[in-house]
Amino acid sequence: MTLDSRLATVVDAARSKKAFRIRLLDVKDIASFTDTFAFMSGGSDRQNRAIAEAIEDALKLADGERPISREGEANGNWVLLDFGNLVVHVMDEETRRHYNLEELWNAGRELELPAELHPASDARP
């Protein structure tokens, strides 16, 4: 499945703030409340907040789109942006492993990410 421009905007914004382990899951056939989950990691609470802010700003600039809700900014280990048919999860690795949402929604279809324009030389595992 190819990536639409909205999801490409999300991925590009996340990459601009050095998000890693980015995954997109199409869950519209198995979830009643959203069509797509975006999962990504940051190396710190501050980075997680910066990634979430970059995504929010990019979608606002591209379409004037704002999240319905935004949660987790105070703590920063898990920032959630709910755009209705797209839910973005920005987590630190410990939180991501603990909640393991990707396994919970593994019946969803993995969407292929666009190639990085400028691959980072220090990509994380």
Side-chain angles (χ1 to χ4, degrees):
M1 196 171 220
T2 60
L3 210 58
D4 69 26
S5 63
R6 180 178 181 230
L7 293 177
T9 297
V10 168
V11 172
D12 288 343
R15 286 176 172 164
S16 78
K17 296 300 180 186
K18 308 291 188 225
F20 54 96
R21 290 205 326 113
I22 301 170
R23 290 187 67 200
L24 300 174
L25 290 179
D26 178 340
V27 294
K28 66 178 158 255
D29 294 334
I30 59 172
S32 61
F33 58 93
T34 194
D35 292 342
T36 308
F37 281 129
F39 298 101
M40 60 204 65
S41 294
S44 68
D45 297 349
R46 175 179 268 176
Q47 184 182 12
N48 291 346
R49 287 189 288 271
I51 292 166
E53 184 175 320
I55 291 168
E56 185 174 353
D57 289 347
L59 288 176
K60 186 167 71 173
L61 183 63
D63 295 337
E65 185 175 11
R66 296 174 186 258
I68 296 166
S69 82
R70 182 177 175 140
E71 299 178 28
E73 282 184 291
N75 188 325
N77 63 330
W78 180 358
V79 181
L80 182 138
L81 300 173
D82 182 351
F83 291 95
N85 61 357
L86 168 64
V87 177
V88 178
H89 300 271
V90 185
M91 304 176 180
D92 62 34
E93 283 294 288
E94 181 180 339
T95 303
R96 193 167 175 175
R97 274 191 303 275
H98 178 77
Y99 288 99
N100 200 12
L101 294 179
E102 292 149 280
E103 182 64 27
L104 179 67
W105 294 99
N106 71 354
R109 290 179 294 164
E110 183 99 21
L111 299 174
E112 186 177 336
L113 299 179
E116 287 189 63
L117 297 176
H118 307 286
S121 59
D122 64 340
R124 297 186 185 209

